[in-house]
Amino acid sequence: MQPLTKLLEAALFAASRPLTLEELISLEPEAGESAIRAALEEVRSSYGDAHGVELVEIAEGWQFLTRREYAETIERAQFALRPRRLSPAALETLAIIAYRQPVGRLEVDEIRGVDSGAVMDKLVERGLIEVVTRGEGLGRPLLYGTTPSFLEILGLKDLEDLPRLEELSVALRRPTPVDEPE
Amino acid sequence: MTTPITRDAGGGGFVVELEKFSGPLDLLLHLIREDEVDITDLPIAKIADQFLSVINELGLNQAADYLEMAARLLRIKAQMLLPRRLGDDEWEDPRAELVRRLLEYQQIRELVDWLGRAAEHKAERFGRGYEAPPADAPPAPLQIDLNDLLSAAERVISLIPEPMLHRVVPRPLDVEGATARIQVLLEQHETFGWSDAVGGDPQATLVDVLSTFIALLELAKRSALTLSQPEPFGPMVIKRATAHEAA
């Protein structure tokens, strides 16, 4: 293993959260981005199938995670706990914010058909969404977006990892007038 | 019509049943799935009736969001009943907006399933030093410096505008007096007019007029007299109630 590779391995081992590329570059700024990327690949492949943990690309960064097959055993031994499940209301709200961000409270309410204020406050508290900007218009409403923690709890690399709307079985038809035969 | 919701016989309640649906759109989608109807060609009358009966049975009519949707459905139902000319290009399907919202919401539900699965999947892999999110910490104790507090108070006080004082004079209505006056009139005349009731005084104040009006309404409620107005904006006719009506 290259010294740079070992350095990255050590940093990723020590961290309890995903480290972003910028953070990893800051360990050895002289090395340059492409060398860091190559070293990351080397860490990943050297873990391969040979270990109980693997290097995973997640939340716009990298993190060592235990392999899925040990989840139950580790949990039974209570070395670690699964995070609490999100309620359907929370997931609905997250889905809307993930796809419409930056989005205001009113639009979320409108799509869900119910008041979502309390749910959104909870999501802000859990660090899954945050105010990203203010909108135009009356009262300059707060607009929300998802945070890296959102990607982390879903195990996503980035927002591109979300399913594309065209892939859903319910394609959202634009309210275009239907062309009726003359 | 079958009720698509299973309820316990105890008619348990509002809270439990409400949690089954995350909102009126969810309930609507449920009804549409139950009926296996085409979402883009909603049989609006049928769906509206079912929606109303479900929220009635479940007591969801206490929830404003559901009531709002019920009102919306009824309006669309009414709009669908309005006649329209054949080949009317201007005609817009009143259901279009609702259908769009339902499709959009259905899409969100599909994403919810996807996100839920992704979270489950991720939960099977632990990072280092994972700790369950801590319980909400109590807010940090406030640190207040007396001088800061005083200057803050001064700032607030300086912002208070000079109070505007109004003297409010009570002008009690004399409904009892007016009632007595009208009752005397009733004994003397079978019918009489508004100006008689006020007392024929051209100087009658607003308070007199209001007192008389309330007295008349009260007496009409007690069936001591009947009020009528033969033509729009015409004079009011006050008529003694017959024994039959009084009973």
Side-chain angles (χ1 to χ4, degrees):
Chain A
M1 240 187 218
Q2 303 286 322
L4 182 60
T5 310
K6 287 195 258 186
L7 171 64
L8 294 188
E9 182 191 23
L12 289 162
F13 173 81
S16 59
R17 61 178 172 82
L19 295 179
T20 63
L21 189 64
E22 291 73 47
E23 287 173 314
L24 293 167
I25 290 173
S26 76
L27 292 169
E28 192 65 77
E30 258 109 87
E33 184 180 330
S34 59
I36 298 284
R37 284 186 185 279
L40 276 169
E41 266 320 308
E42 203 187 332
V43 178
R44 170 146 61 190
S45 61
S46 75
Y47 274 78
D49 288 339
H51 295 262
V53 297
E54 57 190 326
L55 187 60
V56 178
E57 212 176 334
I58 184 173
E60 293 169 339
W62 280 264
Q63 187 181 21
F64 277 121
L65 293 178
T66 60
R67 286 182 182 280
R68 187 159 286 122
E69 55 261 42
Y70 307 122
E72 232 172 88
T73 317
I74 293 172
E75 200 175 26
R76 199 169 344 114
Q78 298 194 338
F79 297 139
L81 291 171
R82 282 179 200 230
R84 267 177 304 144
R85 274 190 198 191
L86 290 159
S87 69
L91 285 171
E92 269 182 25
T93 308
L94 277 176
I96 294 167
I97 293 173
Y99 281 86
R100 297 288 180 100
Q101 58 186 317
V103 60
R105 193 163 282 199
L106 272 180
E107 194 178 337
V108 177
D109 287 352
E110 158 76 15
I111 296 173
R112 292 191 60 221
V114 288
D115 179 71
S116 306
V119 180
M120 286 176 72
D121 288 343
K122 263 258 143 40
L123 292 174
V124 169
E125 226 171 78
R126 283 190 69 175
L128 300 179
I129 61 171
E130 63 189 352
V131 174
V132 288
T133 179
R134 271 177 177 273
E136 300 295 320
L138 195 65
R140 313 223 44 218
L142 300 173
L143 299 183
Y144 294 80
T146 53
T147 64
S149 297
F150 164 78
L151 297 171
E152 201 181 329
I153 63 149
L154 294 181
L156 304 180
K157 206 160 63 174
D158 49 39
L159 288 171
E160 298 290 303
D161 256 4
L162 288 167
R164 306 175 78 78
L165 290 182
E166 306 89 81
E167 289 166 9
L168 299 179
S169 64
V170 191
L172 180 56
R173 264 158 279 189
R174 291 275 155 213
T176 44
V178 183
D179 288 330
E180 283 179 32
E182 294 295 316
Chain B
M1 186 181 75
T2 54
T3 307
I5 318 287
T6 48
R7 280 157 293 121
D8 56 22
F14 174 55
V15 178
V16 180
E17 299 290 354
L18 183 57
E19 282 173 353
K20 274 192 169 178
F21 302 102
S22 50
L25 290 169
D26 194 19
L27 174 53
L28 268 184
L29 280 183
H30 174 88
L31 294 173
I32 289 165
R33 269 196 304 272
E34 286 281 318
D35 288 356
E36 295 177 3
V37 296
D38 179 5
I39 199 166
T40 55
D41 187 23
L42 272 188
I44 200 80
K46 186 177 168 199
I47 291 290
D49 289 346
Q50 290 184 350
F51 188 87
L52 285 175
S53 82
V54 170
I55 67 171
N56 265 329
E57 286 174 39
L58 301 188
L60 292 187
N61 48 357
Q62 296 170 49
D65 299 321
Y66 289 84
L67 275 186
E68 197 234 312
M69 178 57 76
R72 191 185 295 270
L73 288 173
L74 289 180
R75 199 184 67 196
I76 298 172
K77 182 177 163 184
Q79 283 171 336
M80 294 292 285
L81 294 175
L82 290 177
R84 59 179 195 267
R85 259 178 265 120
L86 270 179
D88 189 350
D89 289 341
E90 297 292 295
W91 191 75
E92 240 180 74
D93 192 332
R95 301 169 299 181
E97 170 64 10
L98 179 65
V99 168
R100 186 195 64 76
R101 283 185 65 189
L102 281 170
L103 287 173
E104 184 176 58
Y105 183 73
Q106 207 176 20
Q107 201 176 46
I108 295 298
R109 296 296 301 205
E110 201 175 327
L111 289 169
V112 163
D113 292 342
W114 193 92
L115 294 182
R117 278 196 305 274
E120 287 282 292
H121 213 56
K122 169 58 181 35
E124 291 174 350
R125 335 181 74 180
F126 300 108
R128 264 178 53 78
Y130 173 80
E131 282 171 28
D136 299 343
L142 288 175
Q143 293 203 344
I144 302 174
D145 179 80
L146 184 59
N147 286 325
D148 289 349
L149 183 64
L150 286 176
S151 59
E154 266 166 30
R155 277 200 304 280
V156 171
I157 290 167
S158 71
L159 289 176
I160 299 173
E162 279 296 305
M164 293 255 289
L165 296 180
H166 299 275
R167 185 176 297 280
V168 179
V169 185
R171 287 193 289 182
L173 298 181
D174 183 17
V175 179
E176 275 162 36
T179 306
R181 194 169 66 241
I182 293 164
Q183 275 170 335
V184 171
L185 281 169
L186 278 176
E187 278 165 29
Q188 293 166 350
H189 311 279
E190 200 187 330
T191 66
F192 53 94
W194 163 254
S195 52
D196 304 317
V198 182
D201 181 0
Q203 300 293 308
T205 64
L206 183 65
V207 173
D208 296 331
V209 170
L210 282 176
S211 306
T212 306
F213 191 62
I214 293 172
L216 279 174
L217 290 179
E218 186 58 36
L219 286 167
K221 196 176 102 189
R222 287 195 236 144
S223 305
L225 52 80
T226 60
L227 295 169
S228 59
Q229 193 177 24
E231 53 185 304
F233 305 111
M236 195 193 314
V237 177
I238 300 154
K239 187 164 180 277
R240 183 197 301 154
T242 60
H244 173 70
E245 280 166 337

